[in-house]
Amino acid sequence: MAVLLKVENLKAAYGGIHALRGVSLQVEEGEIVSVLGANGAGKSTLLKCISAVMKRVEGNIEFDGKPISNKPYEIVEAGLVQVPEARQIFAKLTVEENLRVGAGNRKDTDGIKKDFERVYALFPRLKEREKQYGGLLSGGEQQMLAIARGIMAKPKLMMFDEPSLGLAPVIVTQMFEAIKELNKEGISILLIEQNANKALQISDHAYIMQTGLVVRYGTGKELLADDTLSAAYLGE
Amino acid sequence: MFLQQLITGISIGGIYALLATGYSLIYSLLDFSNWAHGEFAMLGAYVAIVFANMVGVPFLIAAVLGVCGAALISFFCEKVVYRHIRSTGAPNMFLMIGAMGMSTIFQQVANLVFTGQYRSFKFKLPVNTIEIAGAYLGVLDLISLVLTAVILVFLMYLINKTKFGLNVRAIACNAYAARVLGVRVDRSIASVFLLAGSLAGVAGILYGMKYNVFPTMGNIGLKAFVASVVGGLGSVPGAIVGSLLLGVLETFVSGYVSSSLRDFFSFALLIVLLLVKPSGLFGVDVQDKA
Ligand SMILES: Nc1ncnc2c1ncn2[C@@H]1O[C@H](COP(=O)(O)OP(=O)(O)O)[C@@H](O)[C@H]1O
Ligand SMILES: [Mg+2]
């Protein structure tokens, strides 16, 4: 399988705080790859650098065989979209408008129409609340909307930043099901999680980060079988 | 008399609305008060004066050039000043201070170049009145009113029905998420400055036609600010309603009480509203923007 995303020796800092100290990882086409790690390990910073909403200090990022752009909208156009931490839906836009912003860089009117049907089929709740303001949705519905909004960009690779955070267990299970479903439909996934067990169960490969570095790498199965993992790295 | 005052009030309110909507749009995107906004109106009026009176082009063309001038000045303020202040990650207070600086600089430059003299367009303005239902209505007021209404309807259409408007509203909700999703945030912001600047230009020219053009005329920006706070900062419909309310209030106070108490009443309205409903008439939760 071809490598879709390749990150090499990525370094990034907030002023004097070195949040990433040389991270390398890759996602192959069709894979689900997770990045796990305790709070403050640098996971969100990693995604911000890939999406180019934060400047990197050093390192290379390639997407789809080419060096990645430094403009966020060109990255989205190239087929790489992020579902950001804490959902960040547009509270004063309707559900439908939120989705239209997600599709903002596309010209294929028919494809957009089909994708509206596709996300409404995946999350029927969103269809029911199509005309409501995003801010009036429940936490779980907002997470569905955030994911659906990302799908509307027609990505090859979707990056999720802790999609299960703050959600009820039933909803969390639904969320992981939806991610698996998207992967089956052909979208590659880079998943950031603190819910290590659930993430590893659906992952082909996983990386474990600690204070700005990758400290473990393996297949989902290998890491699931490793009992020492959570105690050592995940702060559980 | 009443109808006359009402029409005059609405037409003044319309001029405030042209400023207040742009002001509100910029506030909704960048969370700062663009104190230089009134000066865009003043500069637009001067550009029109230069072309109409000194170059001698037909008035309508001069007016269009004035509007373009105001739009470009607004655009360059964003490109040259505000964008750089933002990129340093400085708090929004710095944007506001930058805007105050620009405002003073523009006033001083206008004063240097054009002197403090009151100027009027050397164009025969329609100063006559027409009689409708026993009231004498100024033709200029009516023209101003109709033009403003058309522009504001168009503005609402842009904001609510086009992709440009959708992006602007998305950025106003959450600029970070918009950027992550591929909205060209800086381009949308620059477009809003062009748009707001051109609305200010129209306001400046209409105001200059009704009164005069002078370096400190940009102080009507303060009225637009009051109007947009009354309507609810960041809300475009709020800015329109607040402006009409203020325009009518001012005209009635001038007509029935005393014109020297006009500003007293305007600011009293502001203070009372801030005490009773700080988010303004159409206000979104103040918390929500914090
Ligand atoms: N905006 C910021 N300013 C300063 N430091 C930050 C900022 N965001 C994150 N950090 C720091 O960078 C490190 C990595 O943070 P982050 O990438 O958010 O971790 P994670 O997503 O794994 O919890 C942490 O030490 C955090 O305190
Ligand atoms: Mg994080």
Side-chain angles (χ1 to χ4, degrees):
Chain A
M1 273 285 174
V3 176
L4 193 55
L5 177 73
K6 189 170 182 178
V7 175
E8 284 176 318
N9 189 33
L10 181 64
K11 295 183 182 172
Y14 299 94
I17 302 168
H18 298 279
L20 297 177
R21 300 186 287 150
V23 171
S24 301
L25 59 81
Q26 64 178 44
V27 180
E28 290 184 12
E29 234 166 74
E31 269 192 323
I32 299 182
V33 172
S34 333
V35 176
L36 312 173
N39 240 334
K43 306 177 303 291
S44 297
T45 307
L46 172 69
L47 291 202
K48 284 184 204 163
C49 289
I50 297 174
S51 287
V53 285
M54 178 172 168
K55 281 207 180 87
R56 53 185 191 260
V57 174
E58 213 184 300
N60 294 316
I61 306 175
E62 271 181 25
F63 180 65
D64 214 5
K66 291 182 276 288
I68 205 161
S69 161
N70 60 2
K71 298 194 180 79
Y73 61 86
E74 286 181 355
I75 292 172
V76 174
E77 278 167 11
L80 173 52
V81 78
Q82 176 183 164
V83 179
E85 198 169 18
R87 312 186 251 285
Q88 313 230 27
I89 50 129
F90 302 116
K92 274 171 272 160
L93 301 192
T94 65
V95 167
E96 191 200 339
E97 286 173 331
N98 268 273
L99 296 174
R100 285 211 332 259
V101 174
N105 285 311
R106 294 171 61 181
K107 306 255 172 337
D108 56 327
T109 324
D110 289 344
I112 294 174
K113 218 183 225 168
K114 283 212 187 82
D115 277 342
F116 263 106
E117 284 162 22
R118 178 181 174 200
V119 298
Y120 286 150
L122 188 61
F123 302 118
R125 286 295 285 162
L126 295 183
K127 173 74 185 164
E128 290 164 28
R129 321 200 90 190
E130 197 176 21
K131 300 291 176 205
Q132 283 198 24
Y133 285 123
L136 299 177
L137 304 185
S138 71
E141 288 164 348
Q142 289 193 4
Q143 186 61 61
M144 291 175 195
L145 179 56
I147 294 175
R149 196 177 58 174
I151 297 171
M152 293 306 292
K154 202 178 174 187
K156 292 177 187 149
L157 173 63
M158 275 179 99
M159 306 190 290
F160 294 88
D161 196 344
E162 302 205 29
S164 72
L165 195 71
L167 298 182
V170 192
I171 314 278
V172 172
T173 306
Q174 274 178 29
M175 214 56 65
F176 279 98
E177 285 303 317
I179 291 172
K180 249 164 60 183
E181 180 61 36
L182 288 173
N183 182 246
K184 276 204 199 106
E185 289 176 19
I187 301 177
S188 310
I189 308 282
L190 179 60
L191 173 63
I192 282 181
E193 262 301 337
Q194 293 208 39
N195 196 332
N197 251 314
K198 275 221 152 64
L200 288 173
Q201 278 169 26
I202 64 166
S203 297
D204 297 298
H205 289 100
Y207 296 81
I208 296 174
M209 280 181 69
Q210 196 178 31
T211 55
L213 289 169
V214 170
V215 289
R216 282 291 299 272
Y217 167 73
T219 65
K221 278 212 182 77
E222 283 166 13
L223 295 177
L224 259 181
D226 188 342
D227 298 333
T228 63
L229 208 65
S230 52
Y233 304 118
L234 302 177
E236 282 168 13
Chain B
M1 182 68 176
F2 177 82
L3 185 63
Q4 226 160 290
Q5 296 276 10
L6 188 66
I7 296 288
T8 307
I10 292 176
S11 103
I12 289 284
I15 294 177
Y16 291 161
L18 289 172
L19 282 166
T21 46
Y23 193 89
S24 244
L25 272 175
I26 292 172
Y27 182 88
S28 76
L29 288 183
L30 300 177
D31 275 315
F32 87 103
S33 288
N34 179 26
W35 288 112
H37 203 70
E39 272 62 45
F40 301 161
M42 177 270 291
L43 291 168
Y46 270 113
V47 172
I49 281 274
V50 166
F51 279 101
N53 294 7
M54 299 172 192
V55 182
V57 305
F59 177 74
L60 271 181
I61 295 177
V64 169
L65 289 170
V67 172
C68 293
L72 286 179
I73 289 159
S74 164
F75 177 78
F76 282 115
C77 278
E78 153 61 10
K79 274 280 207 198
V80 177
V81 183
Y82 301 145
R83 182 171 299 179
H84 290 276
I85 295 177
R86 283 204 306 280
S87 72
T88 63
N92 286 352
M93 177 64 83
F94 284 61
L95 285 168
M96 202 180 85
I97 293 167
M100 284 174 163
M102 307 284 287
S103 160
T104 307
I105 289 170
F106 285 139
Q107 273 189 26
Q108 300 281 313
V109 167
N111 208 8
L112 268 175
V113 177
F114 300 104
T115 73
Q117 189 193 340
Y118 282 55
R119 290 165 195 272
S120 52
F121 289 100
K122 280 190 205 144
F123 159 76
K124 243 174 98 351
L125 296 167
V127 287
N128 52 317
T129 54
I130 51 173
E131 197 197 324
I132 297 175
Y136 291 91
L137 306 179
V139 171
L140 191 57
D141 277 348
L142 290 174
I143 291 175
S144 164
L145 204 152
V146 170
L147 182 66
T148 305
V150 169
I151 291 175
L152 291 177
V153 167
F154 176 68
L155 178 68
M156 294 302 288
Y157 170 82
L158 269 185
I159 299 292
N160 292 316
K161 300 286 177 202
T162 67
K163 190 168 157 185
F164 162 75
L166 181 65
N167 286 341
V168 168
R169 286 183 292 134
I171 297 167
C173 280
N174 187 332
Y176 175 78
R179 199 183 291 276
V180 164
L181 284 166
V183 175
R184 299 185 186 197
V185 173
D186 284 334
R187 198 163 80 163
S188 295
I189 291 173
S191 307
V192 164
F193 271 88
L194 267 178
L195 178 67
S198 55
L199 297 180
V202 175
I205 293 167
L206 288 175
Y207 188 86
M209 283 163 71
K210 194 169 167 60
Y211 305 102
N212 280 297
V213 177
F214 48 97
T216 53
M217 69 184 272
N219 291 343
I220 48 164
L222 192 58
K223 294 294 177 57
F225 171 68
V226 173
S228 53
V229 175
V230 168
L233 257 179
S235 155
V236 171
I240 295 174
V241 173
S243 297
L244 295 179
L245 208 66
L246 190 67
V248 171
L249 175 79
E250 283 192 346
T251 317
F252 279 108
V253 170
S254 300
Y256 295 108
V257 187
S258 151
S259 59
S260 57
L261 283 177
R262 195 187 63 189
D263 289 359
F264 171 83
F265 273 86
S266 304
F267 285 90
L269 171 71
L270 175 70
I271 301 296
V272 168
L273 202 98
L274 286 178
L275 292 176
V276 180
K277 195 170 185 306
S279 55
L281 297 174
F282 281 56
V284 273
D285 236 337
V286 179
Q287 299 292 336
D288 207 65
K289 285 251 58 157

